[in-house]
Amino acid sequence: MAARPDTEKPPLTADPDRIYNAGLAEEHFDFIDGTVRLLACSSPRHIFLAGRDWALFDHAAGLQALIKLRSTEFLYQAGIYWKTFDAAIALTGLIDVSGNDPEYLYRAGRFWHTFDYKKGLHALASLKIPRFIYYAGKEWKTFGYREGSSALIAMGDPEFIFYAGAHWKDFDYDAGFEKLLESGNCEYIFKAGTLWRRFDYTRAWLKLEAAAVDGIEWRGRALEQDRWRRAIRQIWDGMKIIP
């Protein structure tokens, strides 16, 4: 008796899970035809898995499919796990599809075996999300600190300007300090004074004093923190502070 239509298994050509598993299990699986059928299903996850696990796979076609499908997650994963991977084409595609979410672009710079760091940094800077510029400067094996500092400081976010000055191997402290003062953010002016390797305590203290209300808490903390307290004592004694 023939099976009812609603209980029949979907045809192999329309089921990416069946195609992927067949490529793993069937002894005489046609990988060329299987790749074509799998790509036609437009499933980024299965394209990635086949590229990782199949004995044969058209990685170039798979990469183009992932880019066309705008799958940032599986483009990133492919760069880690595929044995054959065109990092230059993949990075161009990843930049193009990252939009306003550069998380996987940042991750690619951290974990891909081959990565164009200059191009990646330029792309992150163009997206103007300071968090990922900061993360890249902290985690990437290669990072242009001059370009990174300029981009991050231009974005004007006092939180990540502070973090970069505190944790990057190199940072433009002069420009960063000016932008921090310009922001008027008393919290991060205070915090920078606790961790930055170069810092103008005299100008920073005057800024905290000028913020009559917003600066109250941070002036109090400065008077209790060792580096600040020593600097303030010198200011009050009329001595010149050498950053």
Side-chain angles (χ1 to χ4, degrees), residues 134 152 158-168 188 191 196:
Y134 164 68
L152 184 63
E159 178 180 6
F160 289 102
I161 291 172
F162 155 67
Y163 283 137
H167 300 296
W168 280 6
Y188 290 109
K191 288 182 176 180
W196 280 17

Side-chain angles (χ1 to χ4, degrees), residues 177 180-194 199-225 227-229 231-232 235-236:
F177 180 79
L180 205 54
L181 285 192
E182 181 184 312
S183 76
N185 189 300
C186 296
E187 176 182 357
Y188 290 109
I189 291 172
F190 162 75
K191 288 182 176 180
T194 68
F199 193 76
D200 187 336
Y201 287 96
T202 300
R203 292 180 63 201
W205 178 248
L206 291 174
K207 191 72 173 180
L208 293 183
E209 284 191 318
V213 177
D214 293 342
I216 291 175
E217 175 183 354
W218 306 105
R219 290 195 299 273
R221 291 197 183 192
L223 291 169
E224 297 173 352
Q225 202 272 336
R227 288 177 62 177
W228 270 101
R229 188 169 59 248
I232 293 167
I235 294 169
W236 286 346

Side-chain angles (χ1 to χ4, degrees), residues 108-218:
R110 187 177 180 190
F111 293 111
W112 281 7
H113 304 297
T114 301
F115 188 81
D116 185 334
Y117 292 99
K118 184 175 181 179
K119 185 174 182 178
L121 175 56
H122 179 76
L124 284 180
S126 70
L127 293 172
K128 299 185 185 302
I129 301 180
R131 178 170 73 258
F132 290 106
I133 293 280
Y134 164 68
Y135 289 156
K138 194 167 182 289
E139 304 290 349
W140 284 6
K141 294 185 288 290
T142 300
F143 187 78
Y145 289 102
R146 178 182 297 179
E147 296 82 0
S149 291
S150 295
L152 184 63
I153 292 166
M155 294 175 199
D157 187 310
E159 178 180 6
F160 289 102
I161 291 172
F162 155 67
Y163 283 137
H167 300 296
W168 280 6
K169 295 177 183 177
D170 191 14
F171 184 70
D172 185 343
Y173 288 101
D174 293 334
F177 180 79
E178 294 300 331
K179 184 62 73 171
L180 205 54
L181 285 192
E182 181 184 312
S183 76
N185 189 300
C186 296
E187 176 182 357
Y188 290 109
I189 291 172
F190 162 75
K191 288 182 176 180
T194 68
L195 291 176
W196 280 17
R197 294 187 288 275
R198 288 173 50 197
F199 193 76
D200 187 336
Y201 287 96
T202 300
R203 292 180 63 201
W205 178 248
L206 291 174
K207 191 72 173 180
L208 293 183
E209 284 191 318
V213 177
D214 293 342
I216 291 175
E217 175 183 354
W218 306 105

Side-chain angles (χ1 to χ4, degrees), residues 27-38:
E27 183 177 356
H28 300 293
F29 183 76
D30 185 339
F31 287 102
I32 295 176
D33 179 64
T35 297
V36 172
R37 287 187 284 126
L38 185 65

